[in-house]
Short mmCIF file of all heavy atoms in Angstrom, two decimals:
data_model
loop_
_atom_site.label_atom_id
_atom_site.label_comp_id
_atom_site.label_asym_id
_atom_site.label_seq_id
_atom_site.Cartn_x
_atom_site.Cartn_y
_atom_site.Cartn_z
N LEU X 1 -61.45 77.14 9.87
CA LEU X 1 -60.26 76.76 9.10
C LEU X 1 -59.35 75.86 9.92
O LEU X 1 -58.79 74.88 9.40
CB LEU X 1 -59.52 78.02 8.67
CG LEU X 1 -58.19 77.82 7.93
CD1 LEU X 1 -58.41 77.05 6.63
CD2 LEU X 1 -57.52 79.17 7.65
N GLN X 2 -59.21 76.14 11.20
CA GLN X 2 -58.34 75.34 12.06
C GLN X 2 -58.81 73.88 12.12
O GLN X 2 -58.01 72.94 11.97
CB GLN X 2 -58.30 75.94 13.47
CG GLN X 2 -57.40 75.21 14.45
CD GLN X 2 -55.93 75.49 14.23
OE1 GLN X 2 -55.55 76.10 13.23
NE2 GLN X 2 -55.09 75.05 15.15
N THR X 3 -60.11 73.68 12.31
CA THR X 3 -60.63 72.31 12.36
C THR X 3 -60.47 71.61 11.02
O THR X 3 -60.12 70.42 10.96
CB THR X 3 -62.11 72.32 12.78
OG1 THR X 3 -62.21 72.68 14.17
CG2 THR X 3 -62.76 70.95 12.58
N ALA X 4 -60.71 72.31 9.92
CA ALA X 4 -60.57 71.70 8.59
C ALA X 4 -59.12 71.25 8.35
O ALA X 4 -58.88 70.15 7.82
CB ALA X 4 -61.00 72.69 7.51
N MET X 5 -58.16 72.07 8.77
CA MET X 5 -56.76 71.70 8.58
C MET X 5 -56.38 70.52 9.46
O MET X 5 -55.68 69.60 9.02
CB MET X 5 -55.86 72.91 8.87
CG MET X 5 -56.02 74.05 7.89
SD MET X 5 -54.81 75.38 8.12
CE MET X 5 -55.16 75.91 9.80
N LEU X 6 -56.82 70.54 10.71
CA LEU X 6 -56.52 69.42 11.61
C LEU X 6 -57.14 68.13 11.08
O LEU X 6 -56.55 67.05 11.18
CB LEU X 6 -57.04 69.73 13.01
CG LEU X 6 -56.31 70.84 13.78
CD1 LEU X 6 -57.06 71.19 15.05
CD2 LEU X 6 -54.88 70.42 14.10
N GLY X 7 -58.34 68.24 10.51
CA GLY X 7 -59.02 67.05 10.00
C GLY X 7 -58.27 66.39 8.86
O GLY X 7 -58.28 65.17 8.73
N VAL X 8 -57.62 67.19 8.02
CA VAL X 8 -56.86 66.64 6.89
C VAL X 8 -55.79 65.66 7.39
O VAL X 8 -55.55 64.61 6.77
CB VAL X 8 -56.22 67.77 6.07
CG1 VAL X 8 -55.15 67.23 5.12
CG2 VAL X 8 -57.28 68.52 5.28
N PHE X 9 -55.16 65.97 8.51
CA PHE X 9 -54.03 65.17 8.96
C PHE X 9 -54.43 63.93 9.75
O PHE X 9 -53.60 63.02 9.92
CB PHE X 9 -53.08 66.03 9.81
CG PHE X 9 -52.45 67.16 9.04
CD1 PHE X 9 -52.57 68.47 9.47
CD2 PHE X 9 -51.76 66.91 7.87
CE1 PHE X 9 -51.99 69.51 8.76
CE2 PHE X 9 -51.18 67.94 7.14
CZ PHE X 9 -51.29 69.24 7.59
N ILE X 10 -55.65 63.86 10.27
CA ILE X 10 -56.02 62.68 11.05
C ILE X 10 -56.87 61.69 10.27
O ILE X 10 -57.04 60.56 10.69
CB ILE X 10 -56.78 63.07 12.34
CG1 ILE X 10 -58.15 63.67 12.02
CG2 ILE X 10 -55.95 63.98 13.21
CD1 ILE X 10 -59.05 63.82 13.25
N THR X 11 -57.40 62.08 9.11
CA THR X 11 -58.32 61.19 8.40
C THR X 11 -57.58 60.01 7.78
O THR X 11 -56.46 60.15 7.28
CB THR X 11 -59.09 61.96 7.33
OG1 THR X 11 -60.00 61.08 6.67
CG2 THR X 11 -58.16 62.55 6.28
N GLN X 12 -58.23 58.85 7.82
CA GLN X 12 -57.70 57.63 7.21
C GLN X 12 -58.67 57.08 6.17
O GLN X 12 -58.64 55.89 5.85
CB GLN X 12 -57.45 56.57 8.30
CG GLN X 12 -56.41 56.97 9.33
CD GLN X 12 -55.04 57.14 8.72
OE1 GLN X 12 -54.61 56.34 7.89
NE2 GLN X 12 -54.32 58.18 9.13
N ASP X 13 -59.51 57.95 5.63
CA ASP X 13 -60.48 57.58 4.60
C ASP X 13 -60.39 58.61 3.48
O ASP X 13 -60.38 59.82 3.74
CB ASP X 13 -61.89 57.55 5.19
CG ASP X 13 -62.94 57.12 4.19
OD1 ASP X 13 -63.45 57.99 3.45
OD2 ASP X 13 -63.26 55.92 4.14
N MET X 14 -60.30 58.17 2.25
CA MET X 14 -60.09 59.08 1.13
C MET X 14 -61.26 60.03 0.94
O MET X 14 -61.08 61.20 0.59
CB MET X 14 -59.85 58.28 -0.15
CG MET X 14 -58.59 57.43 -0.15
SD MET X 14 -57.08 58.40 -0.10
CE MET X 14 -57.01 59.05 -1.76
N PHE X 15 -62.47 59.56 1.15
CA PHE X 15 -63.65 60.41 1.01
C PHE X 15 -63.63 61.50 2.08
O PHE X 15 -63.86 62.68 1.79
CB PHE X 15 -64.92 59.56 1.13
CG PHE X 15 -66.20 60.32 0.88
CD1 PHE X 15 -66.75 60.37 -0.39
CD2 PHE X 15 -66.85 60.98 1.91
CE1 PHE X 15 -67.93 61.07 -0.63
CE2 PHE X 15 -68.03 61.68 1.69
CZ PHE X 15 -68.56 61.71 0.41
N LEU X 16 -63.33 61.12 3.30
CA LEU X 16 -63.26 62.08 4.40
C LEU X 16 -62.12 63.06 4.19
O LEU X 16 -62.26 64.26 4.47
CB LEU X 16 -63.09 61.32 5.72
CG LEU X 16 -63.17 62.13 7.01
CD1 LEU X 16 -64.54 62.78 7.16
CD2 LEU X 16 -62.88 61.23 8.22
N PHE X 17 -61.00 62.57 3.70
CA PHE X 17 -59.87 63.45 3.39
C PHE X 17 -60.28 64.52 2.39
O PHE X 17 -59.99 65.70 2.57
CB PHE X 17 -58.70 62.62 2.85
CG PHE X 17 -57.61 63.45 2.22
CD1 PHE X 17 -56.65 64.07 3.00
CD2 PHE X 17 -57.56 63.63 0.84
CE1 PHE X 17 -55.65 64.84 2.42
CE2 PHE X 17 -56.57 64.40 0.26
CZ PHE X 17 -55.62 65.01 1.05
N TYR X 18 -60.94 64.08 1.33
CA TYR X 18 -61.33 65.03 0.29
C TYR X 18 -62.32 66.06 0.83
O TYR X 18 -62.28 67.24 0.45
CB TYR X 18 -61.94 64.28 -0.90
CG TYR X 18 -62.16 65.17 -2.10
CD1 TYR X 18 -61.11 65.50 -2.95
CD2 TYR X 18 -63.42 65.70 -2.38
CE1 TYR X 18 -61.29 66.31 -4.05
CE2 TYR X 18 -63.61 66.52 -3.49
CZ TYR X 18 -62.55 66.82 -4.32
OH TYR X 18 -62.74 67.64 -5.40
N LEU X 19 -63.19 65.63 1.74
CA LEU X 19 -64.15 66.55 2.35
C LEU X 19 -63.43 67.64 3.14
O LEU X 19 -63.71 68.83 2.96
CB LEU X 19 -65.10 65.76 3.26
CG LEU X 19 -66.16 66.56 4.00
CD1 LEU X 19 -67.15 67.18 3.01
CD2 LEU X 19 -66.92 65.69 4.99
N PHE X 20 -62.50 67.25 4.00
CA PHE X 20 -61.73 68.24 4.77
C PHE X 20 -60.91 69.13 3.83
O PHE X 20 -60.78 70.33 4.06
CB PHE X 20 -60.81 67.54 5.77
CG PHE X 20 -61.49 67.10 7.03
CD1 PHE X 20 -61.53 65.77 7.39
CD2 PHE X 20 -62.09 68.03 7.87
CE1 PHE X 20 -62.15 65.35 8.57
CE2 PHE X 20 -62.71 67.64 9.05
CZ PHE X 20 -62.74 66.29 9.39
N TRP X 21 -60.33 68.53 2.80
CA TRP X 21 -59.50 69.25 1.84
C TRP X 21 -60.29 70.38 1.19
O TRP X 21 -59.79 71.50 1.02
CB TRP X 21 -58.98 68.27 0.80
CG TRP X 21 -58.09 68.82 -0.26
CD1 TRP X 21 -58.48 69.42 -1.42
CD2 TRP X 21 -56.66 68.82 -0.29
NE1 TRP X 21 -57.39 69.79 -2.17
CE2 TRP X 21 -56.26 69.43 -1.50
CE3 TRP X 21 -55.68 68.35 0.58
CZ2 TRP X 21 -54.92 69.58 -1.84
CZ3 TRP X 21 -54.35 68.50 0.23
CH2 TRP X 21 -53.98 69.12 -0.96
N GLU X 22 -61.54 70.12 0.82
CA GLU X 22 -62.36 71.12 0.16
C GLU X 22 -62.90 72.16 1.15
O GLU X 22 -62.94 73.35 0.84
CB GLU X 22 -63.52 70.44 -0.56
CG GLU X 22 -63.11 69.65 -1.79
CD GLU X 22 -62.52 70.56 -2.87
OE1 GLU X 22 -63.29 71.19 -3.61
OE2 GLU X 22 -61.28 70.65 -2.94
N VAL X 23 -63.32 71.70 2.32
CA VAL X 23 -63.84 72.63 3.33
C VAL X 23 -62.79 73.65 3.72
O VAL X 23 -63.09 74.83 3.94
CB VAL X 23 -64.33 71.85 4.57
CG1 VAL X 23 -64.64 72.80 5.73
CG2 VAL X 23 -65.58 71.03 4.22
N MET X 24 -61.54 73.23 3.76
CA MET X 24 -60.43 74.12 4.13
C MET X 24 -60.32 75.32 3.20
O MET X 24 -59.89 76.40 3.62
CB MET X 24 -59.16 73.28 4.08
CG MET X 24 -57.87 73.97 4.33
SD MET X 24 -56.53 72.78 4.22
CE MET X 24 -56.69 72.24 2.51
N LEU X 25 -60.72 75.15 1.97
CA LEU X 25 -60.57 76.22 0.98
C LEU X 25 -61.53 77.38 1.23
O LEU X 25 -61.20 78.54 0.98
CB LEU X 25 -60.82 75.64 -0.42
CG LEU X 25 -60.73 76.58 -1.61
CD1 LEU X 25 -59.35 77.21 -1.70
CD2 LEU X 25 -61.05 75.82 -2.90
N VAL X 26 -62.72 77.08 1.77
CA VAL X 26 -63.76 78.11 1.92
C VAL X 26 -63.36 79.19 2.93
O VAL X 26 -63.43 80.39 2.61
CB VAL X 26 -65.10 77.45 2.29
CG1 VAL X 26 -66.18 78.51 2.52
CG2 VAL X 26 -65.54 76.47 1.20
N PRO X 27 -62.93 78.83 4.15
CA PRO X 27 -62.53 79.90 5.10
C PRO X 27 -61.38 80.75 4.58
O PRO X 27 -61.38 81.97 4.77
CB PRO X 27 -62.12 79.12 6.36
CG PRO X 27 -62.78 77.80 6.23
CD PRO X 27 -62.84 77.50 4.78
N MET X 28 -60.40 80.11 3.93
CA MET X 28 -59.27 80.89 3.43
C MET X 28 -59.71 81.86 2.34
O MET X 28 -59.20 82.99 2.25
CB MET X 28 -58.17 79.94 2.91
CG MET X 28 -56.91 80.66 2.43
SD MET X 28 -56.20 81.81 3.66
CE MET X 28 -55.59 80.68 4.89
N TYR X 29 -60.66 81.45 1.52
CA TYR X 29 -61.20 82.34 0.49
C TYR X 29 -61.79 83.59 1.12
O TYR X 29 -61.53 84.72 0.68
CB TYR X 29 -62.26 81.60 -0.34
CG TYR X 29 -63.00 82.48 -1.30
CD1 TYR X 29 -62.47 82.80 -2.54
CD2 TYR X 29 -64.24 83.04 -0.96
CE1 TYR X 29 -63.16 83.63 -3.43
CE2 TYR X 29 -64.93 83.86 -1.83
CZ TYR X 29 -64.39 84.16 -3.07
OH TYR X 29 -65.07 84.98 -3.94
N PHE X 30 -62.57 83.42 2.17
CA PHE X 30 -63.20 84.58 2.82
C PHE X 30 -62.19 85.41 3.61
O PHE X 30 -62.30 86.65 3.66
CB PHE X 30 -64.34 84.12 3.73
CG PHE X 30 -65.57 83.71 2.98
CD1 PHE X 30 -65.99 82.39 2.97
CD2 PHE X 30 -66.31 84.64 2.26
CE1 PHE X 30 -67.13 82.01 2.27
CE2 PHE X 30 -67.45 84.27 1.57
CZ PHE X 30 -67.86 82.94 1.56
N LEU X 31 -61.21 84.77 4.25
CA LEU X 31 -60.21 85.52 5.00
C LEU X 31 -59.43 86.46 4.10
O LEU X 31 -59.12 87.60 4.48
CB LEU X 31 -59.25 84.55 5.70
CG LEU X 31 -59.80 83.78 6.91
CD1 LEU X 31 -58.82 82.74 7.38
CD2 LEU X 31 -60.16 84.74 8.04
#
C-alpha cells in the first residue's frame, strides 16, 4: 500500500497514474 500511494504522487503519465490508483485499493480492502 505504501508504494502504491507514493506512486500516485510521482507519476506524470495518466495510464501509470490510473494503475497506481487502482492498485492502492487492493491492500486497503484486505487491511
Side-chain angles (χ1 to χ4, degrees):
L1 176 61
Q2 182 76 351
T3 289
M5 294 188 300
L6 291 171
V8 166
F9 296 124
I10 67 169
T11 181
Q12 297 296 318
D13 182 273
M14 296 294 287
F15 185 92
L16 187 62
F17 167 81
Y18 190 79
L19 179 65
F20 279 119
W21 181 276
E22 289 296 279
V23 169
M24 176 180 62
L25 179 60
V26 177
M28 183 53 70
Y29 172 83
F30 285 113
L31 288 172

